[in-house]
Amino acid sequence: MQVAQLAGVSLKTASRALGGEPHIRPATRDQVLAAARELGYRRNTAASLLARGHHSDSFGLITGDLTNPFYSALAQGLEDEIRTEGLHLTVANSRESPELERSVAQSLADWQTKAVVVASAMPDHSSYAALQEHGIPVVFVDRAAQQIEADSVVFDNAGGGETAARHLLAGGHRRIAFIGDYTWLPTYQERLAGMAGAMDAAGIEGWRRWVRAGAHDVPSARAATAELLDGDDPPTAFFAGNNRAALGVIEELVGRSVDGGAPAVVGFDDFEGARALGVTVIANDPQEMGRRAGRLALDRLADRDLPVQTVTLPTTLVTRGSGERPPPRD
Amino acid sequence: MQVAQLAGVSLKTASRALGGEPHIRPATRDQVLAAARELGYRRNTAASLLARGHHSDSFGLITGDLTNPFYSALAQGLEDEIRTEGLHLTVANSRESPELERSVAQSLADWQTKAVVVASAMPDHSSYAALQEHGIPVVFVDRAAQQIEADSVVFDNAGGGETAARHLLAGGHRRIAFIGDYTWLPTYQERLAGMAGAMDAAGIEGWRRWVRAGAHDVPSARAATAELLDGDDPPTAFFAGNNRAALGVIEELVGRSVDGGAPAVVGFDDFEGARALGVTVIANDPQEMGRRAGRLALDRLADRDLPVQTVTLPTTLVTRGSGERPPPRD
DNA sequence: ATGCCGCATGACAGCGTTGTCATCGCGTGA
DNA sequence: TCACGCGATGACAACGCTGTCATGCGGCAT
């Protein structure tokens, strides 16, 4: 190593100085550091990791689309959390495709990330067991682990769904639509289940005729909204199952004036612009979700035998007007 | 290597099979791959990189805040681009702080990323020369390289600023405010300069009294907007210098009814919800920015001696109503 | 004054993989 | 049939760093 030569010390001593190890005289350390600075030395990660028997210094995050602010907030929270331990975050995109997710996960595994955090697009997560067997903690976010023993961080989807429906019911609505994401998503199922609890408890019948799914992006949510509004028996309120769906519903409503006043809208997930748009939402904190996931993974890295945990984060009703619009008088 | 043993071949042959190298009989390869699968073998990245003399398999991206959809879209575009070459993306957050940016860049350099893409919070980028000297391409995005020879990808900020101002002027506005980001940002300066060109050409005098800066987030933009509206001589139109500023202006306007009609608003950067809110914007494509930056870095990786390029991406005026509101009659 | 202890330092091996070069065997053309 | 060539395979070193262990030195207690 050139640095050691310039500093006039042995390789090992230089390594000690650069690595911040003890058992080195301050004067010697400074000498080495000065030499390193002068030569513009950068330690070779690969060699360092190899020698220490480690594999990687970064966590992998797999999401469906970083463009969705929900995921990017999650990524930010995760990054914040692991940076405290000097770790990096590598992001990968599954585009909500199970095949792509598998390949991306494989790739992260090949490159031996220290841990993987995933918002999975798969119904069955047993294939992640391979990673676990290699000592790579896997934490499932937003969508809980299925068919596998693994940590998860999720929102109280059922509770949020119930709160949303109750809120609309309390406002006098009876014809309440649900514009949900893909049906295979646990988040879809749980939010709908929560709504079902409230609707059934209120004695509403036949409400499922206003349930629509597949609203994973704005256009599809708009389309579903339009279809319902143009139907025989239009709903007086909408419960949008995610941030994209809420935007889609709102966009569609903005474009038309509905006889007897605009339908009420409650969205799941808070989103930028919801305040300006006056959209009532079931708010959650994806950034916190990222932080918690990071923490779980770090803890498991420190002690593999920790019991498996599922952390459920709360949701809060934030009223901003759209959810408080009354139904039109018949 | 266990795999080699199980497959009954030499270490090198196993390496060839796993690495997809030529000069290996298909039958032998399959045998090795089968053995690898059985043992759940994963190649050790660190060792592989070390042996090949490479350093890393990922690009680093430094932004101010992944939570800002502008940056996350950029990140997504960059990831899409480099994944085609089997590379990963590591994200890091500078929180728009030069000190943090320096430390984060240092850390990426220590861990030897293949290339760095940065939306820098620094006025002077000469410290990035150290990375370049180590053969790490550095590409500046959104904010062009300063005091350093490096590739950049930026938007046509001056053009966009001019277009925005012209649009409002054409609508009959004379008292036009600019709610800009931090003054030290080149994007601030260029957008304002573009506006200045249009204002001066139109013979408007004293318009700079409606220029405000520091609107890097929604609350500060709201505050600036409120201050202007509550002043003696409120503007009849706002040009918001970034997506957060636009949201702040809109939020503030939503909360009040201004005598003689709401002020017009044009924002810079398109944003989710702009359509629903009916906000006229100077739209740009951060995802494309990410892709182009990735391409520049990849190209430079292939040939260090490529001439330094600055790619300027276009902006487009998208009218949605807020920018077309006329000024109140005096 | 002597011996012991602990800290600073250095020599050396080894981390898991791939590049280099040598070897081997088989097929081809004369 | 023999020489030649080329593809398949293997032995071995090297990548740059850190862990282990040995060595040397000075201070402290007796």
Side-chain angles (χ1 to χ4, degrees):
Chain A
M1 194 202 274
Q2 286 199 53
V3 174
Q5 270 190 310
L6 207 174
V9 299
S10 79
L11 217 79
K12 181 58 200 177
T13 300
S15 168
R16 268 193 269 260
L18 271 347
E21 291 174 52
H23 301 305
I24 180 167
R25 232 178 352 151
T28 315
R29 151 173 306 141
D30 294 343
Q31 222 169 323
V32 173
L33 294 181
R37 209 169 314 116
E38 181 170 338
L39 294 173
Y41 169 82
R42 306 247 176 263
R43 132 216 277 140
N44 179 322
T45 326
S48 171
L49 288 173
L50 180 58
R52 284 181 303 179
H54 290 184
H55 293 304
S56 152
D57 64 308
S58 60
F59 274 28
L61 170 67
I62 306 176
T63 68
D65 177 12
L66 212 53
T67 280
N68 188 323
F70 179 88
Y71 291 132
S72 54
L74 202 161
Q76 186 68 71
L78 178 55
E79 203 250 351
D80 286 345
E81 184 69 32
I82 68 177
R83 216 232 317 278
T84 63
E85 314 257 340
L87 297 168
H88 295 267
L89 181 65
T90 295
V91 299
N93 182 2
S94 73
R95 305 189 189 192
E96 300 291 8
S97 145
E99 297 81 52
L100 233 177
E101 179 179 333
R102 199 185 307 276
S103 111
V104 157
Q106 177 67 44
S107 155
L108 286 176
D110 281 352
W111 295 105
Q112 316 234 33
T113 51
K114 255 194 146 56
V116 170
V117 174
V118 56
S120 181
M122 297 179 173
D124 175 344
H125 302 142
S126 49
S127 62
Y128 280 99
L131 293 198
Q132 293 180 320
E133 281 158 21
H134 282 272
I136 305 178
V138 180
V139 178
F140 292 83
V141 285
D142 192 42
R143 306 158 188 182
Q146 306 288 333
Q147 332 274 330
I148 190 175
E149 287 270 299
D151 297 311
S152 305
V153 185
V154 296
F155 289 115
D156 176 14
N157 291 307
E162 187 174 346
T163 302
R166 278 217 173 121
H167 185 65
L168 290 168
L169 286 166
H173 293 275
R174 290 298 172 267
R175 306 209 301 277
I176 305 175
F178 178 66
I179 307 293
D181 210 315
Y182 301 130
T183 52
W184 55 263
L185 282 173
T187 51
Y188 169 92
Q189 296 156 14
E190 293 163 18
R191 289 166 198 182
L192 181 56
M195 177 179 180
M199 296 300 276
D200 294 346
I204 312 290
E205 284 179 16
W207 60 273
R208 283 182 191 266
R209 94 190 88 142
W210 292 298
V211 172
R212 293 293 181 279
H216 189 70
D217 51 33
V218 174
S220 50
R222 278 194 76 153
T225 308
E227 181 248 316
L228 282 168
L229 288 176
D230 293 335
D232 298 335
D233 191 14
T236 66
F238 286 84
F239 173 29
N242 63 46
N243 56 3
R244 303 298 217 211
L247 215 43
V249 172
I250 297 290
E251 280 193 14
E252 187 58 30
L253 292 183
V254 163
R256 38 171 96 202
S257 56
V258 181
D259 291 347
V265 180
V266 173
F268 202 110
D269 295 335
D270 203 356
F271 60 99
E272 198 174 42
R275 185 198 308 269
L277 285 164
V279 181
T280 294
V281 298
I282 302 296
N284 49 24
D285 187 349
Q287 218 165 335
E288 173 69 8
M289 177 172 267
R291 279 190 294 265
R292 297 295 285 271
R295 185 39 53 198
L296 282 176
L298 288 169
D299 289 349
R300 183 161 301 281
L301 230 28
D303 177 3
R304 315 268 160 185
D305 298 323
L306 246 37
V308 169
Q309 280 191 59
T310 293
V311 174
T312 301
L313 299 175
T315 59
T316 329
L317 175 69
V318 178
T319 59
R320 296 202 180 103
S322 76
E324 292 69 50
R325 287 196 288 260
R329 290 167 270 126
D330 294 297
Chain B
M1 193 203 276
Q2 287 199 50
V3 174
Q5 271 189 311
L6 207 174
V9 298
S10 79
L11 218 77
K12 181 57 200 177
T13 300
S15 168
R16 268 192 270 259
L18 271 347
E21 292 174 51
H23 301 305
I24 181 167
R25 231 176 355 149
T28 315
R29 150 172 307 139
D30 294 343
Q31 223 169 319
V32 174
L33 293 181
R37 210 170 312 119
E38 182 170 338
L39 293 173
Y41 168 82
R42 305 245 176 264
R43 130 219 275 145
N44 179 320
T45 325
S48 171
L49 288 173
L50 179 57
R52 284 182 303 177
H54 290 183
H55 294 303
S56 151
D57 64 309
S58 61
F59 274 29
L61 171 66
I62 306 176
T63 69
D65 176 13
L66 213 51
T67 278
N68 188 323
F70 179 89
Y71 291 132
S72 53
L74 203 161
Q76 186 68 72
L78 179 54
E79 204 250 351
D80 286 346
E81 184 70 31
I82 68 177
R83 217 233 313 281
T84 63
E85 314 258 339
L87 297 168
H88 296 267
L89 180 65
T90 296
V91 298
N93 183 1
S94 72
R95 304 190 189 191
E96 300 291 9
S97 143
E99 297 80 54
L100 234 177
E101 178 180 333
R102 200 184 307 275
S103 111
V104 156
Q106 178 68 44
S107 154
L108 286 176
D110 280 352
W111 295 107
Q112 316 237 31
T113 51
K114 255 192 147 54
V116 170
V117 174
V118 56
S120 180
M122 298 179 173
D124 176 343
H125 302 142
S126 49
S127 62
Y128 280 98
L131 293 198
Q132 294 180 319
E133 280 158 21
H134 282 271
I136 304 178
V138 180
V139 178
F140 292 84
V141 285
D142 193 41
R143 306 157 188 182
Q146 306 288 334
Q147 331 277 328
I148 190 176
E149 286 270 299
D151 297 311
S152 306
V153 186
V154 297
F155 288 115
D156 176 14
N157 291 306
E162 187 174 346
T163 302
R166 279 216 173 121
H167 186 65
L168 291 168
L169 286 166
H173 293 275
R174 290 297 173 268
R175 306 211 301 277
I176 306 176
F178 178 65
I179 307 292
D181 209 315
Y182 301 131
T183 53
W184 54 264
L185 282 173
T187 51
Y188 169 92
Q189 296 157 12
E190 293 163 17
R191 290 166 197 181
L192 181 56
M195 176 179 182
M199 298 299 275
D200 293 345
I204 313 289
E205 282 177 18
W207 60 273
R208 281 181 193 267
R209 95 190 86 141
W210 292 298
V211 171
R212 293 295 180 277
H216 189 69
D217 51 33
V218 174
S220 51
R222 278 194 76 154
T225 307
E227 183 248 314
L228 283 169
L229 288 176
D230 294 335
D232 298 334
D233 190 15
T236 66
F238 285 85
F239 173 28
N242 64 47
N243 57 2
R244 304 297 216 209
L247 216 43
V249 172
I250 297 290
E251 280 192 15
E252 187 59 30
L253 291 184
V254 163
R256 35 172 98 204
S257 55
V258 181
D259 291 348
V265 180
V266 173
F268 202 109
D269 294 336
D270 204 355
F271 60 99
E272 198 173 43
R275 185 198 309 268
L277 285 164
V279 181
T280 294
V281 298
I282 302 296
N284 49 23
D285 187 348
Q287 216 164 336
E288 173 69 7
M289 177 172 266
R291 279 190 294 266
R292 296 294 286 272
R295 182 41 52 197
L296 281 177
L298 289 169
D299 288 349
R300 185 161 300 283
L301 230 28
D303 176 4
R304 315 267 159 186
D305 297 325
L306 245 37
V308 168
Q309 279 191 58
T310 293
V311 174
T312 302
L313 298 174
T315 60
T316 329
L317 174 70
V318 178
T319 59
R320 296 200 179 105
S322 76
E324 292 70 49
R325 287 196 288 263
R329 289 167 270 124
D330 295 295

